[in-house]
Amino acid sequence: MSLDRIRPSRSRADSPLTAAILAGRWIRSAAVDDEHGRYWRANPDSRGRSAVSPEPLSLYSGAAGIVLFFLELAAATGHEAYLEDARLGADRLAATWRSQTDLTLYHGLTGTMITLIEAGWALGESRYEAEAAAIAETIASRARRTGDGVGWTLEPSQRGDGGIILGLLRAAAHFGVPAYQDLAIEAGLRVARLPVPGHGFGNCGEAPADLPPDAVTPGFLSGTAGTAFLLARLYGLTDDRRFLAAARSGADFVRAVSSVSERCAVVPHHLPQGRGLYYLGFCSGSAGVARMFYELYRVAGDPADLEWLERLANGITGSGVPYRQTEGFWNVVCQCCGTAGLIELFVGLWAVTGEAGHLEYARTLAANLIGRATDHDGTGYRWYQAYRRLRPGEVTADTGYMVGAAGIGAALLHLDAAGQPDLARRVILLPDNPFPAIPVPPSALRRADT
């Protein structure tokens, strides 16, 4: 077999926009239409299977995330055909959301609501907004009151109540319903009263299957950093210092358990068993933890938080990735725990600091990411990865947002937007992303206007 047959692609001079378009082509090959609209198979490869359990509607790996990608692809290219992809996906979400029992952001109704809000705004379709409003009302109605406050799940982290609260805040602002904000604040106060909020499982919920039940997790989706991010967001909204004190408690814990050398820092995946395992990605590593420190800086203005944001960024760049794989940054490229999540971080850092090195590193990451794309059958770009670190031989390609091509394409589109200050455009950021929705620093925008 010749090398040309086994290389990921014949050319690796693709721009981020071109690579995102080719990712969209592959996702389109996975489309399935029914009487309700459109969804996308998680892996359309012959005999292919997904890296995750089936979630056909979810933001994490299903239609909700793919709709967001097509909305962004339409905005970046000006091609209305992508709006039709998004419309058909939104149709199905609007028609079938009542079958979802999970309420959370990434795996349930909160994520569906966010997508329908974005679809309604971009497509000018009031029916999507109406369904999103109905979801918000459903989420609010399912809040449970207990002796220690109000909530939905037994878990305070982003994968539980934290993500739901962020979604309710978004709904309150979008629909102008103060009751949603009041409920979110009340639920947040329950979280704020927990000791070092969100970092342990214990009686707060179930530990992920790959963690011991007594694990303590400093990271974002399932740990302290994500919960501290939520509490910082609530402080910025309310000026209630109970939220700031609790967020500081979480941030102090993350600092205390991190490994620091000179101006670099890395955060352990879990304690005490994973003390020497340092993820770099969004879900449980530096890219996610950095969001917490930036949110704290944004709402409280302490330069020490911005310094820690830079420490975490330096820890990533100093690790040798993307050219070197580490135990905590293995053969993985997705938004959740891989290269695409790092691109999101460094594009965000560029937008808030204007430091050219951050944008240049994002471009380095993107070049490596594009170089790893595969188009062996002419149907578009997909990325094969070992999504589960503990199963390195289980290599798959997915279409979804947090785990596959849609999220990778979105990260590339955000980089594309950052590189064009003269054509600045809004990008779609999820509620747990604190960076500017126009990913260009004000100084660059002023230069573009002159």
Side-chain angles (χ1 to χ4, degrees), residues 180 253 273:
Y180 295 156
F253 172 77
Q273 302 90 346

Side-chain angles (χ1 to χ4, degrees), residues 26-289:
W26 184 66
I27 294 168
R28 278 176 149 180
S29 75
V32 179
D33 292 337
D34 63 17
E35 69 274 18
H36 300 301
R38 177 171 295 172
Y39 68 97
W40 294 265
R41 287 174 288 157
N43 186 337
D45 284 356
S46 175
R47 291 180 293 180
R49 61 188 181 86
S50 173
V52 297
S53 300
E55 289 183 350
L57 301 181
S58 79
L59 189 60
Y60 194 87
S61 59
I66 293 174
V67 168
L68 293 182
F69 167 65
F70 278 121
L71 290 174
E72 292 212 71
L73 195 55
T77 63
H79 294 165
E80 293 206 1
Y82 297 128
L83 290 180
E84 183 63 15
D85 291 303
R87 179 178 288 107
L88 288 168
D91 284 347
R92 197 167 196 278
L93 291 173
T96 63
W97 66 263
R98 289 170 178 81
S99 67
Q100 287 183 280
T101 56
D102 190 309
L103 298 176
T104 61
L105 174 61
Y106 281 105
H107 301 281
L109 277 174
T110 301
T112 299
M113 178 188 71
I114 296 297
T115 295
L116 288 173
I117 286 173
E118 292 289 347
W121 184 86
L123 297 169
E125 293 275 4
S126 60
R127 59 197 175 99
Y128 299 145
E129 299 237 354
E131 294 299 330
I135 294 173
E137 191 62 29
T138 297
I139 292 169
S141 70
R142 293 185 186 175
R144 296 184 294 174
R145 295 187 179 277
T146 62
D148 61 348
V150 64
W152 294 263
T153 72
L154 294 177
E155 186 175 324
S157 71
Q158 294 283 9
R159 69 195 290 265
D161 282 7
I164 296 171
I165 293 169
L166 288 173
L168 271 183
L169 292 177
R170 176 72 182 279
H174 186 81
F175 296 117
V177 180
Y180 295 156
Q181 179 174 303
D182 293 343
L183 180 60
I185 291 169
E186 186 179 1
L189 284 171
R190 173 186 174 275
V191 175
R193 289 191 289 268
L194 298 173
V196 190
H199 79 266
F201 295 98
N203 294 324
C204 295
E206 295 182 1
D210 59 347
L211 287 181
D214 61 341
V216 174
T217 53
F220 199 82
L221 275 187
S222 300
T224 313
T227 305
F229 171 95
L230 167 72
L231 295 167
R233 174 68 55 86
L234 288 168
Y235 169 69
L237 182 69
T238 66
D239 206 31
D240 186 330
R241 297 193 71 83
R242 289 177 291 181
F243 288 125
L244 181 60
R248 286 276 173 231
S249 175
D252 289 346
F253 172 77
V254 172
R255 286 190 178 98
V257 301
S258 294
S259 177
V260 181
S261 59
E262 297 181 353
R263 293 191 56 76
C264 299
V266 287
V267 183
H269 180 263
H270 63 282
L271 300 167
Q273 302 90 346
R275 189 66 182 84
L277 173 61
Y278 304 109
Y279 274 35
L280 299 182
F282 159 72
C283 60
S284 302
S286 301
V289 174

